[in-house]
Amino acid sequence: MNNYREEDREEFDEIFPNYSPDLFEVSIRTVSITFGNYPDLNYNHIVVDIPIKYSGKQRGVYKILFKFNGEVEDDFFIIQ
């Protein structure tokens, strides 16, 4: 969240008004394996979905894509 706040302050302030870390609720919803780029199946990941609630309201989902060796391949926040 701190990186997001620094990288896009205007959007962050719109989604998380009156920012306070105490108002966040986060928990892992799912952990799954994806086999992408069909039929080659050469873009594969372990995907972790973390719903983000702020001030009691669902704001989006944070997704982290891990390589099978545990290294982070990508991450992103999907605004809802």
Side-chain angles (χ1 to χ4, degrees), residues 23-78:
L23 297 176
F24 278 96
E25 297 174 47
V26 296
S27 60
I28 294 174
R29 177 175 50 196
T30 60
V31 177
S32 59
I33 296 175
T34 62
F35 297 98
N37 196 26
Y38 185 83
D40 296 328
L41 302 176
N42 59 3
Y43 190 68
N44 308 317
H45 297 95
I46 297 168
V47 181
V48 178
D49 286 359
I50 304 170
I52 305 293
K53 288 185 179 181
Y54 183 74
S55 193
K57 297 179 183 174
Q58 181 74 29
R59 301 297 179 159
V61 176
Y62 179 57
K63 289 187 176 255
I64 308 170
L65 281 64
F66 292 92
K67 295 179 181 180
F68 289 142
N69 67 4
E71 188 179 321
V72 173
E73 172 85 14
D74 201 358
D75 69 324
F76 46 94
F77 180 62
I78 302 168

